[in-house]
């Protein structure tokens, strides 16, 4: 190599081909190699490294291996590496959505004003107008106009093709999204927190999720690829991390354990556990945790948990750029034809300020669209999602009986068990119903206090008039992420951006920690404003509960719209709704046979397949 370098005028550099930080990880390295090649460690042979020397070394150890000039070259190379992801990557939004005579800011305002006239025939209320001006000013300050124009263009295309779609998540906090037709929730009426969506301190692009019919979402994806070209548009990736159960399975197979034993070992770890099997759990299942093979399995599993397992494709997160994406991030073809994928995890996009629009698939939108088409084609009714009658008492009576097989979100056994106790009577009751059967409120001990207060078994009290405005709709019990953020703002003096950082810490504290600094800041802020230490500590424990999947109010509101619409259709048009569900399968909790059984229990007549009359899809038949 020295001779070749001399002939070619290329200096040599020391390179250790490092694959592990210490020699003690050799066993894990061999295990991961066996997992990658779908063989056992015993069968891996030459796929494994012949020794454990590919690890990091101290400079003293390196000086005993490499000549000094090779080590000096590594320092010279390092000195030339000045690249900074945040400073050197220049992301730009696509430009082609702005017509001649406008800039991005003026065109967005034009579309918002146009949408305001569509949403409010008599003009927006003073509160809505105030929110519009506040949001447009902040969007202009942060330079996010093109983001909203991009989302509006995608939604406009879907609706021009008759594809049902609905924005959800934090987008429901924005009046701009409401006027652009991205979401159906009016934040001026719901009183949601705009800082959950965009904040000056956060200084990151907003993140809008849009659900499309699951059978037609590919049309939307291909529209984006065709409009911007595959060199400028790509789907983002995700890097799933090992949890306990998956690590046990992969390590067990790599060690050559029988499949039935591997399956039984996996049951010793919870589905979402982040740790290796515990000795007591192994003994309960009849295993000896002190046997050599199980000691090796437990040790390797503990090392593997939390490591990236593979690179996967995000269900629908799009990155769109003004310049070719290959100038920003590595790009590859997806396994599916006509798709391109970037190689960065979706969370990295937020850190670097790259725009991401989530174009997701939702089966219930397909079922609702097919149901409405069936009603229209048979002359029974001509309805849209927007014209389904609201606050219908028979619909709420049906929901309160837990007669919800096949409807959206409130169809699971856990939801059906809660419905008779909740007795929803209004749309906002449904918003709470969607959110309350979640690990977050359950872990934070919020469910039973809310139910007792709702039934009048416990008085509703508020620690202050300021917090009454935040918690009045949920009877003094914080059930939503936005309420936790508002408590931090009102009771602890947080800014909007700091409250959003609290939300992020809530979501990630079990993986990375980061909540403890908020404990002190929250407690101190609440004590300074006259709240008791006991109340501050109780709020913090509830915040920790939200780390176990607390639900945003904006998300629950968007889902409640579909929950109500599907329930109304089941209540008033059960035959058409059953057809819509079966014709949209696979989706939801229930199989076509279960849907048919439920239809028969409701007195519907189900005819058998007839080769002379039956179509591919289920249809409605006249009894005359």
């Amino acid at each position: 190599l020295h001779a070749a370098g001399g002939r070619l005028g290329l200096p040599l550099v020391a390179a250790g081909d490092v694959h592990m930080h210490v020699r003690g990880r050799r066993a894990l390295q061999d295990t991961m190699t066996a997992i990658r090649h779908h063989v056992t460690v015993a069968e891996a042979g030459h796929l494994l490294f012949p020794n454990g020397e590919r690890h990091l070394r101290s400079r003293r150890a390196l000086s005993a291996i490499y000549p000094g000039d090779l080590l000096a070259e590594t320092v010279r190379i390092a000195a030339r590496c000045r690249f900074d992801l945040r400073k050197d990557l220049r992301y730009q939004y696509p430009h082609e959505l702005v017509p001649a005579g406008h800039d991005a800011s003026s065109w967005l305002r034009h579309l918002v004003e146009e949408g305001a006239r569509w949403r409010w025939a008599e003009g927006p209320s003073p509160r809505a107008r105030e929110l519009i001006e506040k949001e447009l000013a902040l969007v202009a300050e942060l330079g996010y106009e093109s983001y909203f124009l991009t989302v509006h263009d995608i939604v406009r295309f879907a609706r021009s093709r008759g594809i049902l779609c609905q924005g959800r998540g934090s987008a429901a906090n924005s009046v701009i999204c409401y006027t652009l037709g991205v979401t159906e929730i009016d934040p001026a009426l719901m009183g949601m927190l705009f800082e959950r969506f965009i904040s000056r301190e956060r200084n990151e692009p907003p993140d809008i999720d849009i659900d499309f019919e699951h059978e037609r979402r590919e049309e939307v994806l291909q529209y984006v690829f065709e409009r911007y070209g595959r060199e400028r548009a790509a789907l983002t990736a995700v890097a799933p991390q090992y949890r306990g159960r998956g690590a046990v399975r992969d390590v067990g197979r790599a060690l050559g354990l029988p499949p039935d034993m591997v399956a039984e070992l996996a049951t010793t770890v919870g589905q979402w556990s982040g740790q290796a099997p515990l000795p007591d759990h192994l003994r309960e299942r009849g295993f000896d945790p002190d046997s050599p093979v199980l000691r090796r399995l437990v040790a390797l599993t503990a090392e593997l948990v939390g490591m990236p397992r593979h690179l996967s494709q995000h269900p629908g997160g799009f990155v769109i750029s003004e310049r070719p994406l290959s100038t920003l991030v590595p790009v590859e073809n997806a396994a599916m034809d006509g798709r391109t994928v970037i190689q960065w995890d979706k969370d990295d996009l937020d850190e670097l300020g790259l725009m991401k629009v989530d174009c997701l698939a939702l089966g219930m939108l397909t079922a609702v669209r097919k149901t409405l088409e069936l009603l229209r084609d048979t002359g029974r009714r001509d309805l849209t999602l927007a014209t389904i009658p609201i606050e219908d008492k028979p619909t709420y009576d049906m929901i309160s009986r837990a007669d919800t097989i096949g409807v959206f979100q409130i169809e699971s056994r856990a939801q059906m068990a809660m419905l008779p106790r909740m007795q929803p009577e209004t749309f906002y009751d449904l918003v709470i119903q969607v959110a309350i059967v979640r690990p977050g409120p359950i872990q934070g001990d919020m469910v039973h206090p809310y139910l007792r207060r709702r039934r009048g078994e416990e008085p509703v009290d508020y620690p202050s008039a300021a917090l009454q405005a935040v918690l009045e709709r949920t009877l003094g019990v914080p059930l939503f992420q936005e309420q936790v953020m508002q408590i931090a703002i009102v009771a602890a003096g947080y800014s909007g951006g700091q409250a959003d950082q609290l939300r992020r810490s809530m979501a990630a504290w079990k993986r990375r920690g980061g909540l403890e600094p908020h404990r002190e800041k929250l407690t101190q802020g609440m004590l300074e404003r006259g709240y008791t230490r006991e109340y501050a500590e109780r709020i913090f424990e509830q915040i920790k509960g939200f780390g176990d999947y607390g639900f945003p109010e904006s998300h629950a509101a968007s889902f409640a719209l579909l929950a109500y619409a599907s329930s109304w259709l089941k209540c008033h048009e059960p035959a058409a709704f059953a057809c819509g569900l079966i014709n949209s399968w696979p989706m939801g909790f229930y199989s076509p046979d279960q849907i048919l059984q439920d239809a028969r229990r409701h007195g519907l007549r189900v005819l058998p397949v007839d080769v002379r009359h039956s179509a591919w899809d289920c249809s409605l038949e006249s009894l005359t």
Side-chain angles (χ1 to χ4, degrees), residues 347-366:
D347 293 335
D348 299 331
L349 304 178
D350 294 337
E351 294 293 328
L352 295 166
L354 271 65
M355 180 183 79
K356 177 169 71 74
V357 180
D358 285 337
C359 300
L360 305 174
L362 193 60
M364 184 52 69
L365 285 172
T366 307

Side-chain angles (χ1 to χ4, degrees), residues 506-548:
M506 281 192 296
W509 81 273
K510 285 217 164 179
R511 298 194 306 275
R512 300 192 295 268
L515 260 184
E516 283 309 311
H518 288 286
R519 179 196 291 271
E520 183 178 346
K521 182 175 175 61
L522 271 169
T523 303
Q524 189 61 35
M526 294 178 78
L527 290 175
E528 290 173 359
R529 287 162 179 78
Y531 298 94
T532 66
R533 181 174 292 276
E534 178 188 5
Y535 183 73
E537 290 176 353
R538 188 164 84 242
I539 288 294
F540 187 78
E541 289 304 311
Q542 290 174 332
I543 287 173
K544 287 171 65 177
F546 275 93
D548 284 316

